[in-house]
């Protein structure tokens, strides 16, 4: 279970004199107090004890890892409170060798109010104080039985005179003293001064970012029609950005970190470099474990890809899985806004300040097994503009534990089934119009030992006129072995939220804008959320999936289509 824990900051108020309280004997000299964290009355097994060491008017706070083996990104952090300087110091020694520190004066800490309530912790009488920190209700039990000592395991929450023995946040998260140990022969508490001074916000940013593994895929890459760089050699042995379909598809072979646990996010920014319209975009991976791959359709021709034929004899290239072919796996389906950045200064609307770019961040952890080692990652934006668009893409890997936990690695089974998003559109790949007279059908085999099976499903409707499927809700029905297992009507009603990313969107007489209109599962300037459909009752063996959508009829030269993709994901024993 993931929890947001308040980092041990540092803070104290000047002492104003103490009266020795009756109770247990006060430790002499330097001593340490050990604290444990509790959640809803039970000890938090995922947390580590806090050790508060007190020596006269100084104290030090550390998190104790005991015998645990920690990942390399975990810094050595220490907090110091110096009553005589009226300041708190937080330090960190990073794996890079860098040392950073920030300082908090006492007068910047939360103010505390005595509640009139009393408490007893480890036999020491306490007074209970309260404060509010970012809407969190905090109660702090403070003992004045330790002479002139002023200290806290989390002093950033503020303390009155005395030693904090218990902290309760929102009535259910607790930090409680469990034992006190006198230190007979210990190193004196002294503040290290060979640390670079930074702001508190920069300190937190450096610590947090140190845990993230960033992989830059595309940097300021142009995707446009006719912008192919002739100097690029389309050789799949070369790790560089390659362009296909007249420059509307870019590919790169990348090497991703070997991470089996944690979370993965794709982070994408896009802005117009000339094109003013909302366009279909996709970030995808090309599976290479089959005899025929989508790479052959890029490097050779669309004729290399297997053909899917609908009831009217219309053919579609590389859209469904076969015995020797796997379609692309979409990481993010996204839609560009109307001309963000390029047209910001050309279209002025009173009261609106346009965004600098469109930003998309989507979790893709369920696809983690294919996000390691060597992979081909591609990006597509359908457009016919010579300036087109520019994008930046990176993958971010976040660990799920500070501790190195020895456990059997969970194997995952991933099987792409279909993708009608015609990313090679500008090379002649057909639009997904098979639903007007047919259902999309694909056979697949579930191996023995696969459990917790899910279908990761993405669906968006297109046809940009009043009666087109872009603006008409349509039910998607999924059948497996002739039995309906799921239905959904993709529809977004929040498109107006992204108005500031759409400077070139058409403005109408009634005050609305084209980008405001509700659409079939997408909005200009957004990513489409995948739907995870449980199929855990399917048994091993061969099955058939059918996808039915009541696609609307063409009108004149306009037609509707559906971009759908589906990937099976399960655990494999």
């Amino acid at each position: 279970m993931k929890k947001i824990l308040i980092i041990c900051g540092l803070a104290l108020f000047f002492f104003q004199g103490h009266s020795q309280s009756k109770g247990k004997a006060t430790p002499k000299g330097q001593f340490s107090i050990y604290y444990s964290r509790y959640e809803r009355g039970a000890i938090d097994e995922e947390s580590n004890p806090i050790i508060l060491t007190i020596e006269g008017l100084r104290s030090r706070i550390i998190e104790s890892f005991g015998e645990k083996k920690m990942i390399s990104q975990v810094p050595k952090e220490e907090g110091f409170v110096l009553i005589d300087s009226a300041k708190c110091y937080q330090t960190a020694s990073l794996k890079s060798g860098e040392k950073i520190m920030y300082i908090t004066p006492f007068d910047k800490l939360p103010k505390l109010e005595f509640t009139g309530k009393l408490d007893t912790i480890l036999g020491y009488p306490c007074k209970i104080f309260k404060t509010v920190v970012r809407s969190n209700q905090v109660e702090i039990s403070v003992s004045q039985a330790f002479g002139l000592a002023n200290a806290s395991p989390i002093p950033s929450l503020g303390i009155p005179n005395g030693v904090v023995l218990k902290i309760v946040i929102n009535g259910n998260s607790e930090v409680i003293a469990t034992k006190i140990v006198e230190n007979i022969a210990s190193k004196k508490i002294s503040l290290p001064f060979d640390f670079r001074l930074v702001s508190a916000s920069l300190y937190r940013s450096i610590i947090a970012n140190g845990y993230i593994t960033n992989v830059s895929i595309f940097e300021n890459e142009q995707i446009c029609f006719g912008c192919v760089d002739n100097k690029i050699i389309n050789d799949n042995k070369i790790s560089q950005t390659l362009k296909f379909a007249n420059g509307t598809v870019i590919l790169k072979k990348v090497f991703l970190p070997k991470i089996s646990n944690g979370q993965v996010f794709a982070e994408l920014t896009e802005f117009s470099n000339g094109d003013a319209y909302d366009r279909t975009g996709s970030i995808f991976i090309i599976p290479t474990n089959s005899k025929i791959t989508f790479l052959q359709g890029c490097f050779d021709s669309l004729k290399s890809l297997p053909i899917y034929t609908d009831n009217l004899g219309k053919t579609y290239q590389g859209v469904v899985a076969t015995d020797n072919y796997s379609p692309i796996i979409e990481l993010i389906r996204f839609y560009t806004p109307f001309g963000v950045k390029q047209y910001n200064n050309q279209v002025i609307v009173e009261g609106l300040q346009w965004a600098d770019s469109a930003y998309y961040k989507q979790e893709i952890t369920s696809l983690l097994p294919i996000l390691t080692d060597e992979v081909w990652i591609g990006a597509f934006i359908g457009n016919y503009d010579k300036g087109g668009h520019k994008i930046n893409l990176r993958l971010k890997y976040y660990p799920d534990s500070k501790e190195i936990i020895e456990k059997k690695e969970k194997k995952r089974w991933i099987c792409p089934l279909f993708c009608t998003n015609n990313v090679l559109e500008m090379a002649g790949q057909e639009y997904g119009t098979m639903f007007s007279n047919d259902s999309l059908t694909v056979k697949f085999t579930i191996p023995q030992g696969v459990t917790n099976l899910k279908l990761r499903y993405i669906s968006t409707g297109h046809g940009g006129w009043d009666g087109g499927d872009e603006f008409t809700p349509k039910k998607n029905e999924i059948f497996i072995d002739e039995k309906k297992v799921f239905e959904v009507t993709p529809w977004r009603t929040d498109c107006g939220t992204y108005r500031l990313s759409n400077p070139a969107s058409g403005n109408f007489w009634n005050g609305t804008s084209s980008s405001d209109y509700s659409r079939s599962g997408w909005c200009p300037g957004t990513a489409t959320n995948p739907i995870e459909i449980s199929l855990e009752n399917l048994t091993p063996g061969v099955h058939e999936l059918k996808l039915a959508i009541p696609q609307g009829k063409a009108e004149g030269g306009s037609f509707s289509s559906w971009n759908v993709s589906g990937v099976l994901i399960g655990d494999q024993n």
Side-chain angles (χ1 to χ4, degrees):
M1 179 179 61
K2 297 187 172 56
K3 305 176 180 65
I4 300 176
L5 298 176
I6 300 175
I7 300 175
C8 290
L10 303 169
L12 289 181
F13 292 111
F14 277 119
F15 65 90
Q16 299 174 348
H18 295 264
S19 58
Q20 186 72 25
S21 300
K22 294 182 179 180
K24 294 184 69 174
T26 303
K28 297 179 181 179
Q30 186 187 110
F31 62 96
S32 295
I33 306 177
Y34 290 73
Y35 299 81
S36 294
R37 293 188 176 97
Y38 294 80
E39 291 289 336
R40 296 173 181 83
I43 192 165
D44 181 3
E45 300 290 350
E46 296 182 11
S47 68
N48 298 303
I50 300 171
I51 302 176
L52 168 64
T53 301
I54 300 171
E55 183 179 37
L57 301 182
R58 296 188 171 193
S59 60
R60 180 179 67 240
I61 304 104
I62 63 171
E63 182 180 4
S64 174
F65 300 122
E67 299 299 320
K68 295 180 180 178
K69 294 181 180 179
M70 312 307 291
I71 61 176
S72 62
Q73 298 98 313
V74 176
K76 178 184 177 182
E77 291 190 271
E78 292 183 296
F80 297 86
V81 175
L82 276 61
I83 302 298
D84 47 359
S85 67
K87 293 178 181 177
C88 312
Y89 304 81
Q90 180 69 37
T91 69
S93 299
L94 309 175
K95 71 173 184 177
S96 64
E98 184 181 14
K99 297 180 178 181
I100 57 175
M101 172 177 67
Y102 76 89
I103 301 173
T104 306
F106 286 177
D107 59 8
K108 299 297 184 181
L109 300 171
K111 306 304 178 186
L112 296 154
E113 177 186 350
F114 180 48
T115 64
K117 297 187 293 184
L118 303 176
D119 196 1
T120 301
I121 307 294
L122 294 179
Y124 295 97
C126 300
K127 295 179 179 179
I128 300 178
F129 293 79
K130 68 178 181 180
T131 191
V132 178
V133 178
R134 294 190 294 275
S135 299
N136 293 289
Q137 303 294 321
V138 181
E139 287 194 340
I140 299 174
S141 298
V142 181
S143 175
Q144 295 182 329
F146 297 88
L148 298 180
N150 288 251
S152 170
I154 311 179
S156 60
L157 298 178
I159 59 171
N161 303 319
V163 175
V164 174
L165 296 181
K166 181 179 179 181
I167 298 171
V168 182
I169 302 173
N170 294 329
N172 53 35
S173 180
E174 300 174 302
V175 176
I176 305 175
T178 57
K179 68 177 180 179
I180 299 176
V181 177
E182 291 190 25
N183 301 330
I184 306 302
S186 300
K187 185 178 179 180
K188 288 187 173 295
I189 297 175
S190 59
L191 179 68
F193 287 100
D194 56 340
F195 285 70
R196 177 168 68 95
L197 185 62
V198 298
S199 67
S201 60
L202 179 56
Y203 177 95
R204 289 189 289 268
S205 175
I206 292 173
I207 296 299
N209 288 330
Y211 288 105
I212 304 170
T213 300
N214 284 282
V215 181
S216 178
I217 309 296
F218 299 120
E219 290 287 344
N220 204 37
E221 292 283 1
Q222 186 178 12
I223 300 178
C224 67
F225 187 78
C227 60
V228 176
D229 185 348
N230 292 326
K231 294 181 180 180
I232 291 180
I233 301 173
N234 288 343
D235 182 347
N236 63 8
K237 296 180 180 179
I238 299 176
S239 295
Q240 59 175 304
T241 300
L242 310 177
K243 296 186 178 183
F244 303 93
N246 288 292
T248 59
V249 173
I250 59 175
L251 293 178
K252 180 183 281 188
K253 179 165 53 174
V254 297
F255 295 88
L256 301 179
K258 294 183 178 181
I259 298 176
S260 58
N261 297 303
Q263 292 174 284
V264 189
F265 286 80
E267 192 172 69
L268 173 71
T269 58
E270 177 278 336
F271 59 86
S272 169
N273 193 53
D275 189 18
Y277 285 93
D278 55 334
R279 304 293 190 181
T280 300
S282 181
I283 303 297
F284 57 92
I285 279 183
I286 298 178
T288 57
N289 58 350
S290 54
K291 182 178 180 181
I292 303 173
T293 76
F294 195 78
L295 286 173
Q296 291 164 256
C298 295
F299 286 108
D300 300 330
S301 74
L302 287 172
K303 294 180 181 179
S304 304
L305 302 180
I307 296 299
Y308 180 86
T309 305
D310 67 16
N311 283 343
L312 297 182
K314 187 174 181 180
T315 58
Y316 306 85
Q317 309 94 337
V319 296
V320 301
T322 66
D323 290 340
N324 57 7
Y325 171 75
S326 295
I328 63 173
I329 298 174
E330 290 192 285
L331 303 182
I332 303 181
R333 171 86 58 78
F334 69 97
Y335 291 87
T336 72
F338 287 91
V340 70
K341 191 171 186 177
Q342 179 72 16
Y343 295 91
N344 284 12
N345 296 326
Q346 299 183 35
V347 183
I348 306 300
V349 177
E350 186 65 26
L352 299 183
Q353 184 174 352
W354 306 121
D356 183 67
S357 61
Y359 175 73
Y360 318 81
K361 185 172 182 177
Q362 195 168 79
E363 184 174 5
I364 52 175
T365 304
S366 61
L367 298 171
L368 184 58
I370 62 169
L371 300 173
T372 61
D373 297 327
E374 179 183 299
V375 298
W376 279 93
I377 293 184
F380 156 72
I381 297 177
N383 72 101
Y384 289 94
D385 187 90
K386 289 185 178 180
H389 305 256
K390 287 192 174 182
I391 68 165
N392 294 280
L393 172 68
R394 65 178 55 195
L395 301 185
K396 290 189 170 184
Y397 296 74
Y398 299 79
D400 58 2
S401 174
K402 292 182 179 181
E403 183 183 1
I404 299 174
I405 301 175
E406 301 293 337
K407 59 182 179 181
K408 185 178 180 181
E409 184 177 338
K410 181 188 294 186
K411 292 184 178 180
R412 302 279 279 169
W413 180 71
I414 294 182
C415 177
L417 294 184
F418 55 89
C419 182
T420 66
N421 189 359
N422 54 332
V423 301
L424 290 177
E425 172 188 350
M426 283 65 186
Q429 189 179 19
E430 284 290 345
Y431 289 82
T433 59
M434 68 279 290
F435 302 101
S436 63
N437 57 81
D438 196 4
S439 58
L440 182 146
T441 304
V442 59
K443 289 186 177 181
F444 60 95
T445 302
I446 302 175
Q448 291 286 343
V450 172
T451 58
N452 300 319
L453 189 64
K454 294 179 177 64
L455 175 69
R456 185 179 188 262
Y457 179 61
I458 302 174
S459 176
T460 54
H462 303 270
W465 77 99
D466 288 347
D469 282 7
E470 178 176 331
F471 299 113
T472 307
K474 294 293 181 70
K475 183 188 294 184
N476 291 209
E477 296 179 291
I478 296 176
F479 301 82
I480 294 183
D481 301 330
E482 303 298 334
K483 179 181 178 181
K484 184 159 70 174
V485 296
F486 187 78
E487 67 176 48
V488 66
T489 301
W491 194 246
R492 289 284 293 264
T493 61
D494 61 334
C495 296
T497 304
Y498 308 95
R499 181 70 182 95
L500 296 181
S501 295
N502 289 275
S505 174
N507 298 309
F508 303 124
W509 62 270
N510 62 357
T512 61
S513 175
S514 174
S515 64
D516 295 343
Y517 282 21
S518 300
R519 288 172 167 81
S520 288
W522 63 279
C523 297
T526 69
T528 296
N529 288 324
I531 301 170
E532 286 200 347
I533 302 165
S534 175
L535 300 175
E536 59 184 18
N537 292 327
L538 286 186
T539 57
V542 179
H543 299 274
E544 183 178 74
L545 180 147
K546 289 185 178 181
L547 173 59
I549 304 171
Q551 181 177 302
K553 295 182 179 180
E555 294 185 22
S558 300
F559 61 89
S560 293
S561 63
W562 282 83
N563 289 337
V564 295
S565 67
V567 180
L568 291 173
I569 302 172
D571 296 328
Q572 190 164 34
N573 298 327

